[in-house]
Amino acid sequence: MTEALQWARYHWQRLIRGAPRDDDSRPYNYSSLLACGCKSSQTPKLAGKHRIVVPHLQPFKDEYEKFSGAYVNNRIRTTKYTLLNFVPRNLFEQFHRKEKKYIDQCWKDVTVGDFIRLSCNEVIPADMVLLFSTDPDGICHIETSGLDGESNLKQRQVVRGYAEQDSEVDPEKFSSRIECESPNNDLSRFRGFLEHSNKERVGLSKENLLLRGCTIRNTEAVVGIVVYAGHETKAMLNNSGPRYKRSKLERRANTDVLWCVMLLVIMCLTGAVGHGIWLSRYEKMHFFNIPEPDGHTISPLLAGFYMFWTMIILLQVLIPISLYVSIEIVKLGQIYFIQSDVDFYNEKTDSTVQCRALNIAEDLGQIQYLFSDKTGTLTENKMVFRRCSVAGFDYCHEENARRLESYQVAVSEDEDFTDTVSSFLSNMAKPRAPSCRTVHNGPLGTKPSNHLAGSSFTLGSGEGASEVPHSRQAAFSSPIETDVIPDTRLLDKFSQITPRLFMPLDETIQNPPLETLYIIDFFIALAICNTVVVSAPNQPPQKIRHPSLRGLPIKSLEEVKSLFQRWSVRRSSSPSLNSGKEPSSGVPNAFVSRLPLFSRMKPASPVEEEVSQVCKSPQCSSSSACCTETEKQHSDAGLLNGKAESLPGQPLACNLCYEAESPDEAALVYAARAYQCTLQSRTPEQVMVDFAALGPLTFQLLHILPFDSVRKRMSVVVRHPLSNQVVVYTKGADSVIMELLSVASPDGASLEKQQLIIREKTQKHLDDYAKQGLRTLCIAKKVMSDTEYAEWLRNHFLAETSIDNREELLLESAMRLENKLTLLGATGIEDRLQEGVPESIEALHKAGIKIWMLTGDKQETAVNIAYACKLLEPDDKLFILNTQSKDACGMLMSTILKELQKKTQALPEQVSLSVDLLQPPVPQDSGLRAGLIITGKTLEFALQESLQKQFLELTSWCQAVVCCRATPLQKSEVVKLVRSHLQVMTLAIGDGANDVSMIQVADIGIGVSGQEGMQAVMASDFAVSQFKHLSKLLLVHGHWCYTRLSNMILYFFYKNVAYVNLLFWYQFFCGFSGTSMTDYWVLIFFNLLFTSAPPVIYGVLEKDVSAETLMQLPELYKSGQKSEAYLPHTFWITLLDAFYQSLVCFFVPYFTYQGSDIDIFAFGNPLNTAALFIILLHLVIESKSLTWIHLLVIIGSILSYFLFAIVFGAMCVTCNPPSNPYWIMQEHMLDPVFYLVCILTMSIALLPRFVYRVLQGSLFPSPILRAKHFDRLTPEERTKALKKWRGAGKMNQVTSKYANQSAGKSGRRPMPGPSAVFAMKSATSCAIEQGNLSLCETALDQGYSETKAFEMAGPSKGKES
Amino acid sequence: MAMNYNAKDEVDGGPPCAPGGSAKTRRPDNTAFKQQRLPAWQPILTAGTVLPIFFIIGLIFIPIGIGIFVTSNNIREIEGNVFMYYGLSNFYQNHRRYVKSRDDSQLNGDSSALLNPSKECEPYRRNEDKPIAPCGAIANSMFNDTLELFLIGNDSYPIPIALKKKGIAWWTDKNVKFRNPPGGDNLKERFKGTTKPVNWLKPVYMLDSDPDNNGFINEDFIVWMRTAALPTFRKLYRLIERKSDLHPTLPAGRYSLNVTYNYPVHYFDGRKRMILSTISWMGGKNPFLGIAYIAVGSISFLLGVVLLVINHKYRNSSNTADITI
């Protein structure tokens, strides 16, 4: 859309700028521009490989102008928003030099190099590097739902070196330049560095970049410098723009309308020529060639020419202009019925299907390819902790599972309950918050007024908008995810935990209960090995933080003691808090009450118990006290306040909100919380965990190695507060973690043996989990010595600061850290499939729809879900395309293809069977099923022009294709490729903003109005609330809409041709003079009134097969895919029938009245009447179901015709000059011949169509016709008949070739064959033979089909789906 | 493009969370109409179900056809009232511009239209600055031959047959649609200021001596003005009324037809005819309808038989009735 504009601007700038400076570079740049311009996904690289950004300020003026020419400003045409509501929303502050302050500017005026200051809840106008945040830790929270559809908050970090500044960054003193990548569409990557004036460089990463389209949340204000603006922003580069959609049926109809025009021209030419010839015989005859008013006669040639136009006016009804109006009306009716289908109603969200596009409903009936997003579309996007295995013991959480099953019932009550609790808690927390704030304002207060204002602001907004975040966070904080019922066995083991376990190791421990240690470590890892942001529902997250506690867990025994004493006093002195809480909530917190541990602890004065526990561990407390002395002075107050909030807040802790980058992380944290291992707060420096038995533990956070898809794991490096050791907790995919476990333990044989046993057991559990379709994660830990850590840290810093191959270095550094791990256990998380998804997918498969899953998620998850939702069957052969180079990709594809073809040729007799299309539809799984998995990287190669064809051919062999790690742009490109190359109808369904471009590109885009905002819905043509609705939408409504509309259109053509041809035939008997034997009013009203309503009703209400049958026999959908109702030849057959009927309708009265004294209108009257009956009865024959509405309309049409004819005939004596059908109908009504003629005409005209339909019904019924019989059966007979139908299908072993034909050249044939393992093995070997290239990187997972390796990687960071 | 405005979108597009008014849901009504479950007649067209229709058609059409055929053939006997027609062939009275060339208002007696005929009448609207009455090409080309029928008896003196001029036009035409212009008693006065059509010999008020059959309401004129639908047509000219029940209207014998030839047809390859015919309940003689009915009835019967066979065979071939396959 904006491409042309953008191109133009580039061109212009280049010419202006390039000419005076450097003449030589111009042609080169110009051509490179040309090359770039052809593909939208590539960005013109004007500034070379890197982009240099300098501030747009006076001191940098020269330098700025040198660079700025290459920048595109933010001017983007928005069509959706009017100026009025556009401008005020998007004003923002931009640093303005002259005013020395920020001024409001429009989005379009932002250019690269500008400083921008944004406040909370503002939308980011351009990609910018974060230089300042009001958050003392230099963190800025952003919500990226506008970009990737994830509704959780993400953290962004101020550029290193700027975070320490207390005051806001002063743009005037900013004297650095930024060098970064040239604009690209990779949302998950940003590389660059910031060079200070003293040549010191600071690395920039994705963590420092604020992306356009995101929203600032929970951060008072931020300042950044723009690096990409306008079309260059990553958001824009990922947006391929909308497309105007027109339905396939309408396109088809349009060509036929053109044929009608051709026909009209032919008919008019016939008339013109005929008139010319006729007139030339009587040129001098004034009877026939009536002279013009001035007396002269016109020549036959000219008369013929005039006649052409006369005929066009006469016969123009042939071009069904009213067709378009009728189509629109019919579509409205169809949409109305879709929207009022009660099956689409979702109780929970009180929403039903939403038809946003009114003109493509019939496309729903012709879908051949379905592209689906995964998370939120197929799954609920609710990660639920299901099972875990710790130290080789499986805890299956039976109760939890039961809770999940009964969840549906209790959901409404639960939600009500949480509402009351949270409101109560917010009331309680309110008076507390300001006091807390004022206390630590003192030490911090460099800019007190500002801060205070900010805090009050956030408080206010937090309260006022308390509903908004609540609903927004619904994604990860619904009771089903947050309330985990602990396993009783595991709880028992928890009771053994005492701080005594952390006594120094030199003390002889009698047979250390290793398992208990494992459990502690396991849950600590669950709680801290993540990037979860903690916030309370009604408070901004920073309130929970305890800055005073920084790096100082517990200082000394005395202090701890005094602390607890104070706390207990405080607690008992404010009984209103406790006593007010318990009874007031009436129903106690569901979680608390169900927790045996908690209830057991409650009565036995928890204060004393905890104090005593803490007191028993003096050594560890004191030993950990040595770390920091600096903040001692304000620790007292801080500690006090922190405790005051966090400890009595233990029940309150249940109400902490965890916002994680991926729902898995949140699920694990919630699971840990269920075991009283509550993540209390997280700052960049420390993590605070409230461990029930051990009291609050504060981990000094030394390092986080974030998740990435290569490592498939993440790690945190912390200093353990009890043992004071440096501990690495790692969480990741089992396949990876298992590799990294320590082989030789230094602690002796017994431990090593134990580890081995645990490992074996855990592996078994993991396989078990995977079989259940759970997302599995392994948890491991490693203890490091300080020196080891120091050494690693030194290397790591080197890696972090390097620019060029930083990623490789970081990876290497991570590898050095994450090794020799000790396995703690594993978790099984369920990303629950939405209700009815497998059934829907199965039905859609049977309907002959090829389903592709395009997800930004990682391969393991994607494959897992694909199995769970029956996209892949357990015995499917799986091919995995995961290569690092284009050549390898191509070679691998050709190898697989060759194998597949060989397989097919080996069994040719099977192929020959698949001929008879009239056989009952056959379930798809009769042939060999294959699935293809392709990763985003490889997809990039496959989408390149040279490999496209091969890729499509390969996919056409496969039942299901799963594309993982696909970017939004790739998603849309895949859809585009399939749509344009295979000429098929595509449907894309997704729920997030990352699916928007795919939704727009596909023929039909469906948005799932789920958890992730409204982006997808806004861009979609239809919005549903759940995936399962898709099957009814397509199979029933799609089928209906398509058959209805196509039959209606065909009928419309028929109707017009049949009627208009009557006029045409008459021309042969009136010297081609353009006489109409019907009054003009009748002529007009015939189309407008008498025959307009029945086709519309037919188009809206026609029901060839009932909804139940359509759902039970998805195979019926194939008729729509093949466009059976409206093929090109159907149109011509219809036209032929129309010609025949009009001939009959004309010539029967003609022969009857031949030679009689009948006059023109009296001759036209039986023609009209017969035509009306023929046209209406034709509809009755074609209708598969007739309701009283049909009858009403048909009878109404007939009555209105006669009424009009009689009234018009009686009233109109001299009206409508020069002539009128005065009293003709009345005369005819009394004439038996009139009736005889009409009846005879009708019989002869309709006989062929009727006989054809009868013969079709008995001799060669289509599947639809056969299915129609089902509607008449009783339920018992019906089930029997259905069984029989399916059985017949299986017996015949015929694979219907629907996809073959539609997919055109790509020959998809059934691939019988016992195993594809062979195929893959040979494929690998083949690949290795040719492997002297970079083929060694080719990953062809051999064992995949056998083990179905359900491997799950760790928390998916930057999850794009 | 909408990316930047998600905040707004969510506010606008999100489900309205009205805590108070939760009574109103968006749940569609579960009615038969809205759920498309209206009771419907679902005809399934198979040989078995439609068999009766074909036989019924056959059984009804054939007798009707025979009836019509017999009636049509009986028309030749000249009994009862005999209608005398003149026929013209290859005369395109249905030419578009010819058909248009008339002014119904003038013919309806509208005095303003009489003196200022419609433009449609061009070029037969005015002659020598006087409006033509009746104007237009149709009127101008009126058939003006005179036909007289004589019975040549034995005494070789031809007896003229009484030809009734009135009653040949539709009643509504004669009494409603066609009217003489208002004015004095004298018809000539009423048509004052007009001139006769170019081809006519006499002005319109001299078409007949009977004042009830003169001017625009002259029935010959009215009949002519009802333009024929097809180029070969006949028009009712006179009625020969039956005198008594005892004698046929036109007894057997030699007749002579005296034609006053005014109307040229040879230059357009036309032909003139005179037709004498009686009329039945179904109009004039035409065997087509009867034959067509018999044919359609027979075909329908035949088809019925074919379908019977098909139905029979088909039932045999798949013994599972018409339920599954």
Side-chain angles (χ1 to χ4, degrees), chain A residues 239 285 340 1044 1066 1075 1103 1152 1236 1272, chain B residues 1 35-36 41-42 94 96 229 267 286 293:
Chain A
N239 195 339
M285 248 284 293
S340 47
R1044 283 167 178 175
Y1066 189 59
T1075 316
K1103 222 163 89 173
T1152 309
L1236 289 175
R1272 295 196 158 182
Chain B
M1 278 285 169
Q35 303 308 318
Q36 309 190 54
W41 178 53
Q42 300 191 314
N94 56 10
R96 183 174 55 89
Y267 69 101
N286 189 348
Y293 261 95

PDB file of all heavy atoms in Angstrom, chain A residues 239 285 340 1044 1066 1075 1103 1152 1236 1272, chain B residues 1 35-36 41-42 94 96 229 267 286 293:
ATOM      1  N   ASN A 239       4.630  -5.536   8.759  1.00  0.00           N
ATOM      2  CA  ASN A 239       3.229  -5.358   8.390  1.00  0.00           C
ATOM      3  C   ASN A 239       3.133  -5.260   6.877  1.00  0.00           C
ATOM      4  O   ASN A 239       3.676  -4.358   6.267  1.00  0.00           O
ATOM      5  CB  ASN A 239       2.729  -4.070   9.038  1.00  0.00           C
ATOM      6  CG  ASN A 239       1.249  -3.998   9.020  1.00  0.00           C
ATOM      7  OD1 ASN A 239       0.604  -4.672   8.216  1.00  0.00           O
ATOM      8  ND2 ASN A 239       0.690  -3.181   9.872  1.00  0.00           N
ATOM      9  N   MET A 285     -40.496   1.427 -48.690  1.00  0.00           N
ATOM     10  CA  MET A 285     -41.826   1.219 -48.155  1.00  0.00           C
ATOM     11  C   MET A 285     -42.027   2.072 -46.918  1.00  0.00           C
ATOM     12  O   MET A 285     -41.370   1.873 -45.909  1.00  0.00           O
ATOM     13  CB  MET A 285     -41.965  -0.259 -47.773  1.00  0.00           C
ATOM     14  CG  MET A 285     -42.913  -1.027 -48.620  1.00  0.00           C
ATOM     15  SD  MET A 285     -44.589  -0.680 -48.213  1.00  0.00           S
ATOM     16  CE  MET A 285     -44.697  -1.374 -46.615  1.00  0.00           C
ATOM     17  N   SER A 340     -26.487 -15.246  14.078  1.00  0.00           N
ATOM     18  CA  SER A 340     -27.473 -15.625  15.084  1.00  0.00           C
ATOM     19  C   SER A 340     -27.450 -17.118  15.368  1.00  0.00           C
ATOM     20  O   SER A 340     -28.372 -17.623  15.987  1.00  0.00           O
ATOM     21  CB  SER A 340     -28.866 -15.171  14.643  1.00  0.00           C
ATOM     22  OG  SER A 340     -29.098 -15.524  13.318  1.00  0.00           O
ATOM     23  N   ARG A1044     -25.660 -21.898  -1.539  1.00  0.00           N
ATOM     24  CA  ARG A1044     -26.778 -20.985  -1.691  1.00  0.00           C
ATOM     25  C   ARG A1044     -26.461 -19.898  -2.693  1.00  0.00           C
ATOM     26  O   ARG A1044     -27.211 -19.660  -3.641  1.00  0.00           O
ATOM     27  CB  ARG A1044     -27.081 -20.307  -0.342  1.00  0.00           C
ATOM     28  CG  ARG A1044     -27.812 -21.171   0.611  1.00  0.00           C
ATOM     29  CD  ARG A1044     -27.796 -20.556   1.983  1.00  0.00           C
ATOM     30  NE  ARG A1044     -28.564 -21.376   2.907  1.00  0.00           N
ATOM     31  CZ  ARG A1044     -28.648 -21.127   4.195  1.00  0.00           C
ATOM     32  NH1 ARG A1044     -28.015 -20.103   4.706  1.00  0.00           N
ATOM     33  NH2 ARG A1044     -29.362 -21.906   4.972  1.00  0.00           N
ATOM     34  N   TYR A1066     -38.729 -12.760 -30.404  1.00  0.00           N
ATOM     35  CA  TYR A1066     -39.790 -11.980 -31.058  1.00  0.00           C
ATOM     36  C   TYR A1066     -39.223 -11.099 -32.166  1.00  0.00           C
ATOM     37  O   TYR A1066     -39.929 -10.800 -33.149  1.00  0.00           O
ATOM     38  CB  TYR A1066     -40.510 -11.123 -30.004  1.00  0.00           C
ATOM     39  CG  TYR A1066     -41.739 -10.454 -30.526  1.00  0.00           C
ATOM     40  CD1 TYR A1066     -42.787 -11.206 -31.056  1.00  0.00           C
ATOM     41  CD2 TYR A1066     -41.883  -9.073 -30.502  1.00  0.00           C
ATOM     42  CE1 TYR A1066     -43.922 -10.604 -31.546  1.00  0.00           C
ATOM     43  CE2 TYR A1066     -43.015  -8.465 -30.990  1.00  0.00           C
ATOM     44  CZ  TYR A1066     -44.040  -9.232 -31.512  1.00  0.00           C
ATOM     45  OH  TYR A1066     -45.167  -8.638 -32.008  1.00  0.00           O
ATOM     46  N   THR A1075     -39.201  -4.209 -31.259  1.00  0.00           N
ATOM     47  CA  THR A1075     -40.495  -4.141 -30.592  1.00  0.00           C
ATOM     48  C   THR A1075     -40.489  -5.089 -29.395  1.00  0.00           C
ATOM     49  O   THR A1075     -39.924  -6.174 -29.461  1.00  0.00           O
ATOM     50  CB  THR A1075     -41.605  -4.591 -31.539  1.00  0.00           C
ATOM     51  OG1 THR A1075     -41.380  -3.992 -32.790  1.00  0.00           O
ATOM     52  CG2 THR A1075     -42.961  -4.224 -30.997  1.00  0.00           C
ATOM     53  N   LYS A1103     -31.386 -24.907   1.956  1.00  0.00           N
ATOM     54  CA  LYS A1103     -30.642 -25.813   2.842  1.00  0.00           C
ATOM     55  C   LYS A1103     -30.557 -27.141   2.114  1.00  0.00           C
ATOM     56  O   LYS A1103     -31.515 -27.901   2.136  1.00  0.00           O
ATOM     57  CB  LYS A1103     -31.429 -25.951   4.147  1.00  0.00           C
ATOM     58  CG  LYS A1103     -30.577 -25.920   5.370  1.00  0.00           C
ATOM     59  CD  LYS A1103     -31.419 -25.654   6.588  1.00  0.00           C
ATOM     60  CE  LYS A1103     -31.945 -26.929   7.185  1.00  0.00           C
ATOM     61  NZ  LYS A1103     -32.635 -26.695   8.464  1.00  0.00           N
ATOM     62  N   THR A1152     -49.498 -21.501 -31.308  1.00  0.00           N
ATOM     63  CA  THR A1152     -50.907 -21.475 -30.944  1.00  0.00           C
ATOM     64  C   THR A1152     -51.618 -20.295 -31.606  1.00  0.00           C
ATOM     65  O   THR A1152     -52.712 -20.431 -32.139  1.00  0.00           O
ATOM     66  CB  THR A1152     -51.042 -21.362 -29.417  1.00  0.00           C
ATOM     67  OG1 THR A1152     -50.232 -22.366 -28.825  1.00  0.00           O
ATOM     68  CG2 THR A1152     -52.482 -21.542 -28.989  1.00  0.00           C
ATOM     69  N   LEU A1236     -54.590 -22.997 -21.232  1.00  0.00           N
ATOM     70  CA  LEU A1236     -54.022 -24.184 -21.871  1.00  0.00           C
ATOM     71  C   LEU A1236     -52.621 -23.903 -22.386  1.00  0.00           C
ATOM     72  O   LEU A1236     -51.709 -24.728 -22.244  1.00  0.00           O
ATOM     73  CB  LEU A1236     -54.941 -24.627 -23.019  1.00  0.00           C
ATOM     74  CG  LEU A1236     -56.260 -25.234 -22.582  1.00  0.00           C
ATOM     75  CD1 LEU A1236     -57.149 -25.515 -23.788  1.00  0.00           C
ATOM     76  CD2 LEU A1236     -56.012 -26.529 -21.820  1.00  0.00           C
ATOM     77  N   ARG A1272     -33.851 -37.549   6.627  1.00  0.00           N
ATOM     78  CA  ARG A1272     -35.207 -38.078   6.775  1.00  0.00           C
ATOM     79  C   ARG A1272     -35.256 -39.250   7.746  1.00  0.00           C
ATOM     80  O   ARG A1272     -36.324 -39.786   8.004  1.00  0.00           O
ATOM     81  CB  ARG A1272     -35.706 -38.576   5.420  1.00  0.00           C
ATOM     82  CG  ARG A1272     -35.849 -37.462   4.426  1.00  0.00           C
ATOM     83  CD  ARG A1272     -36.674 -37.915   3.287  1.00  0.00           C
ATOM     84  NE  ARG A1272     -37.250 -36.794   2.603  1.00  0.00           N
ATOM     85  CZ  ARG A1272     -38.055 -36.913   1.566  1.00  0.00           C
ATOM     86  NH1 ARG A1272     -38.372 -38.112   1.125  1.00  0.00           N
ATOM     87  NH2 ARG A1272     -38.543 -35.851   0.984  1.00  0.00           N
TER      88      ARG A1272
ATOM     89  N   MET B   1      -1.419  -1.710  10.256  1.00  0.00           N
ATOM     90  CA  MET B   1      -1.537  -0.274  10.453  1.00  0.00           C
ATOM     91  C   MET B   1      -2.191   0.054  11.782  1.00  0.00           C
ATOM     92  O   MET B   1      -1.909   1.061  12.387  1.00  0.00           O
ATOM     93  CB  MET B   1      -2.421   0.315   9.354  1.00  0.00           C
ATOM     94  CG  MET B   1      -1.682   0.568   8.083  1.00  0.00           C
ATOM     95  SD  MET B   1      -0.661   1.979   8.237  1.00  0.00           S
ATOM     96  CE  MET B   1       0.292   1.835   6.773  1.00  0.00           C
ATOM     97  N   GLN B  35     -32.217 -20.201  13.896  1.00  0.00           N
ATOM     98  CA  GLN B  35     -31.299 -21.334  13.835  1.00  0.00           C
ATOM     99  C   GLN B  35     -31.508 -22.143  12.563  1.00  0.00           C
ATOM    100  O   GLN B  35     -30.988 -23.241  12.423  1.00  0.00           O
ATOM    101  CB  GLN B  35     -31.474 -22.224  15.060  1.00  0.00           C
ATOM    102  CG  GLN B  35     -31.268 -21.482  16.363  1.00  0.00           C
ATOM    103  CD  GLN B  35     -29.956 -20.722  16.390  1.00  0.00           C
ATOM    104  OE1 GLN B  35     -28.937 -21.234  15.941  1.00  0.00           O
ATOM    105  NE2 GLN B  35     -29.978 -19.495  16.871  1.00  0.00           N
ATOM    106  N   GLN B  36     -32.280 -21.616  11.670  1.00  0.00           N
ATOM    107  CA  GLN B  36     -32.515 -22.237  10.370  1.00  0.00           C
ATOM    108  C   GLN B  36     -33.048 -23.660  10.519  1.00  0.00           C
ATOM    109  O   GLN B  36     -32.613 -24.573   9.842  1.00  0.00           O
ATOM    110  CB  GLN B  36     -31.240 -22.224   9.534  1.00  0.00           C
ATOM    111  CG  GLN B  36     -30.631 -20.845   9.464  1.00  0.00           C
ATOM    112  CD  GLN B  36     -29.518 -20.765   8.460  1.00  0.00           C
ATOM    113  OE1 GLN B  36     -29.698 -21.110   7.304  1.00  0.00           O
ATOM    114  NE2 GLN B  36     -28.360 -20.319   8.880  1.00  0.00           N
ATOM    115  N   TRP B  41     -40.350 -28.596   3.611  1.00  0.00           N
ATOM    116  CA  TRP B  41     -40.628 -29.705   2.713  1.00  0.00           C
ATOM    117  C   TRP B  41     -39.366 -29.933   1.910  1.00  0.00           C
ATOM    118  O   TRP B  41     -38.871 -29.029   1.246  1.00  0.00           O
ATOM    119  CB  TRP B  41     -41.805 -29.355   1.799  1.00  0.00           C
ATOM    120  CG  TRP B  41     -42.128 -30.425   0.821  1.00  0.00           C
ATOM    121  CD1 TRP B  41     -42.375 -31.726   1.084  1.00  0.00           C
ATOM    122  CD2 TRP B  41     -42.239 -30.273  -0.591  1.00  0.00           C
ATOM    123  NE1 TRP B  41     -42.627 -32.414  -0.064  1.00  0.00           N
ATOM    124  CE2 TRP B  41     -42.555 -31.536  -1.127  1.00  0.00           C
ATOM    125  CE3 TRP B  41     -42.093 -29.185  -1.467  1.00  0.00           C
ATOM    126  CZ2 TRP B  41     -42.725 -31.751  -2.490  1.00  0.00           C
ATOM    127  CZ3 TRP B  41     -42.273 -29.396  -2.810  1.00  0.00           C
ATOM    128  CH2 TRP B  41     -42.585 -30.671  -3.319  1.00  0.00           C
ATOM    129  N   GLN B  42     -38.813 -31.120   1.995  1.00  0.00           N
ATOM    130  CA  GLN B  42     -37.547 -31.377   1.325  1.00  0.00           C
ATOM    131  C   GLN B  42     -37.744 -32.424   0.249  1.00  0.00           C
ATOM    132  O   GLN B  42     -37.583 -33.616   0.490  1.00  0.00           O
ATOM    133  CB  GLN B  42     -36.517 -31.857   2.341  1.00  0.00           C
ATOM    134  CG  GLN B  42     -36.275 -30.826   3.418  1.00  0.00           C
ATOM    135  CD  GLN B  42     -35.092 -31.163   4.262  1.00  0.00           C
ATOM    136  OE1 GLN B  42     -34.930 -32.290   4.696  1.00  0.00           O
ATOM    137  NE2 GLN B  42     -34.242 -30.184   4.478  1.00  0.00           N
ATOM    138  N   ASN B  94     -46.205  -5.091 -36.500  1.00  0.00           N
ATOM    139  CA  ASN B  94     -45.557  -5.069 -35.188  1.00  0.00           C
ATOM    140  C   ASN B  94     -44.198  -4.377 -35.218  1.00  0.00           C
ATOM    141  O   ASN B  94     -43.436  -4.469 -34.279  1.00  0.00           O
ATOM    142  CB  ASN B  94     -45.401  -6.491 -34.656  1.00  0.00           C
ATOM    143  CG  ASN B  94     -44.650  -7.370 -35.629  1.00  0.00           C
ATOM    144  OD1 ASN B  94     -44.083  -6.871 -36.607  1.00  0.00           O
ATOM    145  ND2 ASN B  94     -44.654  -8.672 -35.392  1.00  0.00           N
ATOM    146  N   ARG B  96     -41.550  -1.759 -34.612  1.00  0.00           N
ATOM    147  CA  ARG B  96     -41.531  -0.917 -33.421  1.00  0.00           C
ATOM    148  C   ARG B  96     -42.005   0.504 -33.697  1.00  0.00           C
ATOM    149  O   ARG B  96     -42.861   1.040 -32.984  1.00  0.00           O
ATOM    150  CB  ARG B  96     -40.117  -0.869 -32.828  1.00  0.00           C
ATOM    151  CG  ARG B  96     -40.011  -0.070 -31.549  1.00  0.00           C
ATOM    152  CD  ARG B  96     -38.638  -0.182 -30.956  1.00  0.00           C
ATOM    153  NE  ARG B  96     -37.607   0.194 -31.913  1.00  0.00           N
ATOM    154  CZ  ARG B  96     -37.151   1.440 -32.064  1.00  0.00           C
ATOM    155  NH1 ARG B  96     -37.610   2.397 -31.305  1.00  0.00           N
ATOM    156  NH2 ARG B  96     -36.243   1.717 -32.961  1.00  0.00           N
ATOM    157  N   ALA B 229     -49.775  -9.084 -33.687  1.00  0.00           N
ATOM    158  CA  ALA B 229     -48.523  -9.469 -33.053  1.00  0.00           C
ATOM    159  C   ALA B 229     -47.537 -10.043 -34.058  1.00  0.00           C
ATOM    160  O   ALA B 229     -46.323  -9.957 -33.865  1.00  0.00           O
ATOM    161  CB  ALA B 229     -48.793 -10.492 -31.954  1.00  0.00           C
ATOM    162  N   TYR B 267     -46.318  -4.642 -53.400  1.00  0.00           N
ATOM    163  CA  TYR B 267     -44.958  -4.069 -53.389  1.00  0.00           C
ATOM    164  C   TYR B 267     -44.179  -4.420 -52.125  1.00  0.00           C
ATOM    165  O   TYR B 267     -43.012  -4.131 -52.015  1.00  0.00           O
ATOM    166  CB  TYR B 267     -44.989  -2.551 -53.637  1.00  0.00           C
ATOM    167  CG  TYR B 267     -45.586  -1.731 -52.529  1.00  0.00           C
ATOM    168  CD1 TYR B 267     -44.745  -1.047 -51.635  1.00  0.00           C
ATOM    169  CD2 TYR B 267     -46.950  -1.603 -52.360  1.00  0.00           C
ATOM    170  CE1 TYR B 267     -45.289  -0.279 -50.634  1.00  0.00           C
ATOM    171  CE2 TYR B 267     -47.490  -0.841 -51.366  1.00  0.00           C
ATOM    172  CZ  TYR B 267     -46.651  -0.174 -50.497  1.00  0.00           C
ATOM    173  OH  TYR B 267     -47.172   0.583 -49.489  1.00  0.00           O
ATOM    174  N   ASN B 286     -57.130 -24.205 -34.882  1.00  0.00           N
ATOM    175  CA  ASN B 286     -55.673 -24.358 -34.783  1.00  0.00           C
ATOM    176  C   ASN B 286     -55.380 -25.729 -34.209  1.00  0.00           C
ATOM    177  O   ASN B 286     -55.611 -25.973 -33.030  1.00  0.00           O
ATOM    178  CB  ASN B 286     -55.074 -23.257 -33.897  1.00  0.00           C
ATOM    179  CG  ASN B 286     -53.569 -23.268 -33.957  1.00  0.00           C
ATOM    180  OD1 ASN B 286     -52.952 -24.204 -34.465  1.00  0.00           O
ATOM    181  ND2 ASN B 286     -52.955 -22.221 -33.436  1.00  0.00           N
ATOM    182  N   TYR B 293     -50.564 -31.066 -26.912  1.00  0.00           N
ATOM    183  CA  TYR B 293     -50.993 -31.685 -25.654  1.00  0.00           C
ATOM    184  C   TYR B 293     -50.892 -33.197 -25.730  1.00  0.00           C
ATOM    185  O   TYR B 293     -50.405 -33.852 -24.790  1.00  0.00           O
ATOM    186  CB  TYR B 293     -52.427 -31.260 -25.310  1.00  0.00           C
ATOM    187  CG  TYR B 293     -52.464 -30.145 -24.304  1.00  0.00           C
ATOM    188  CD1 TYR B 293     -52.553 -28.825 -24.717  1.00  0.00           C
ATOM    189  CD2 TYR B 293     -52.376 -30.412 -22.947  1.00  0.00           C
ATOM    190  CE1 TYR B 293     -52.561 -27.790 -23.802  1.00  0.00           C
ATOM    191  CE2 TYR B 293     -52.393 -29.386 -22.031  1.00  0.00           C
ATOM    192  CZ  TYR B 293     -52.484 -28.074 -22.458  1.00  0.00           C
ATOM    193  OH  TYR B 293     -52.490 -27.068 -21.548  1.00  0.00           O
TER     194      TYR B 293
END
